[in-house]
Amino acid sequence: MLYFFQQVLNGLHSGALYALLAFGYVLTNGILHRTNLAYGAVFAFCGHTMILTAAFGYQALWLTLFAAVALGVVAALLYAALISHVLSRNVFEPLADRTPNAIVVTTLGILLVLSEASRIAANTHDLWLPPMLAQPIIFAQNTTFKATLTLIQLLDCAFVLAIVAMATWAFARSSFGRRWRAVSDDPKAAAMCGVDVRAVFRGAVLAGGFCAALAGVLAGLYYGNVSFGTGLVYGLKILFVTAVGGYLSPPRAALGAAAFGMAESLWAGYFPLEWRDAWMYLFLVAMLLLIGAGRDTTKIV
């Protein structure tokens, strides 16, 4: 039972990262109703940017480790804002009224550009942050085994929980949340009622970009590295998870993604790790086929 409890604890951290990514993804795609393959690339690019900037600050500017990491976090958030601005105004809005394949192909190109930019910036080398806040916190133990989480894992989970809880509260009570739901249901009717559809869409893309950037930063701080090729893997998982759950509720998408992260952790604890992604993808595809894909065909913007 302690081993099972350890896998559950491990799933809390991976589930938190997936939850934050899913919340941000649904903010955009709940309005756009188009597949955005660039979202995972934003996650990986911002996480990688944080590590590169922190390494530059530590080695070239002689900053302390804490100051270098803080500089990296600021750089990641600035890049997230820039990328979100470019995506919303120069990609999503011009292509929203065209065939869905136009956005799929364009965001695939953006994914490749961001991945290659990260690879070139790092000279095809993986840079690693030193372990930070790695002190183990014991939750249960017996004579032979201890169920633990590190301090950085606990802080990451608490941070994600606070962000998602505050965003859910604001989403339910703020005027932006009401306008987002109106635009998601019927953008033309929302525009006739005086809602600025483009402003809502741009705000949603920006918020989604910040969620991806924060998830990338948290992953980089915990794992010590976010590879330039990680974005495709995370992006596809979030795409399938949110497609199964639908794009009507960011909090529900976050909860489903957290459950998916927990399932991944349990698989890794009891079954061959090399088959984990294949079986998890197969499960998501089967769920998507059973539920049906005719829910999100409305055009927007």
Side-chain angles (χ1 to χ4, degrees):
M1 288 302 296
L2 277 181
Y3 182 76
F4 173 78
F5 183 49
Q6 179 64 70
Q7 304 313 312
V8 171
L9 291 177
N10 293 338
L12 292 177
H13 186 264
S14 58
L17 294 180
Y18 284 131
L20 187 57
L21 283 169
F23 193 97
Y25 187 85
V26 170
L27 281 177
T28 299
N29 278 48
I31 296 179
L32 184 65
H33 296 288
R34 297 288 187 270
T35 299
N36 175 17
L37 295 178
Y39 188 75
V42 176
F43 157 80
F45 182 85
C46 291
H48 200 247
T49 296
M50 184 272 295
I51 293 173
L52 288 178
T53 306
F56 175 78
Y58 187 76
Q59 296 174 356
L61 300 181
W62 294 0
L63 298 176
T64 64
L65 180 60
F66 176 80
V69 170
L71 179 64
V73 172
V74 172
L77 295 178
L78 290 177
Y79 269 108
L82 175 62
I83 295 170
S84 299
H85 177 82
V86 172
L87 284 176
S88 63
R89 295 173 185 260
N90 300 105
V91 177
F92 293 143
E93 291 179 18
L95 298 179
D97 291 327
R98 301 186 183 182
T99 172
N101 292 333
I103 287 184
V104 174
V105 173
T106 304
T107 54
L108 176 60
I110 293 170
L111 182 150
L112 296 176
V113 168
L114 292 178
S115 299
E116 282 300 291
S118 294
R119 183 187 67 81
I120 293 171
N123 197 23
T124 322
H125 294 128
D126 282 331
L127 298 179
W128 293 82
L129 293 176
M132 292 181 290
L133 303 177
Q135 302 91 328
I137 308 298
I138 300 174
F139 286 85
Q141 64 179 331
N142 57 22
T143 56
T144 60
F145 190 85
K146 297 179 180 179
T148 66
L149 280 180
T150 61
L151 183 57
I152 187 66
Q153 286 178 303
L154 287 176
L155 292 177
D156 284 355
C157 292
F159 180 79
V160 171
L161 180 61
I163 290 294
V164 172
M166 288 189 296
T168 300
W169 180 85
F171 195 77
R173 296 177 178 270
S174 67
S175 61
F176 176 80
R178 292 190 294 271
R179 287 184 280 122
W180 185 92
R181 289 188 291 271
V183 174
S184 178
D185 289 340
D186 193 329
K188 293 182 179 179
M192 292 176 63
C193 294
V195 175
D196 189 341
V197 175
R198 292 187 183 277
V200 172
F201 180 70
R202 291 171 182 174
V205 174
L206 181 62
F210 280 136
C211 287
L214 289 173
V217 167
L218 295 179
L221 292 176
Y222 170 63
Y223 295 110
N225 171 263
V226 178
S227 175
F228 35 79
T230 307
L232 179 61
V233 176
Y234 273 84
L236 286 177
K237 288 179 180 178
I238 293 302
L239 169 64
F240 279 108
V241 169
T242 53
V244 170
Y247 304 120
L248 300 179
S249 172
R252 187 176 67 182
L255 184 61
F260 176 79
M262 184 68 68
E264 269 198 348
S265 176
L266 292 175
W267 175 280
Y270 290 96
F271 301 101
L273 183 62
E274 59 271 18
W275 288 100
R276 182 192 64 184
D277 285 346
W279 280 103
M280 296 307 294
Y281 279 128
L282 181 62
F283 169 74
L284 290 174
V285 170
M287 289 293 296
L288 187 58
L289 291 175
L290 290 174
I291 292 174
R295 300 169 301 183
D296 306 306
T297 56
T298 308
K299 290 190 289 186
I300 191 64
V301 182

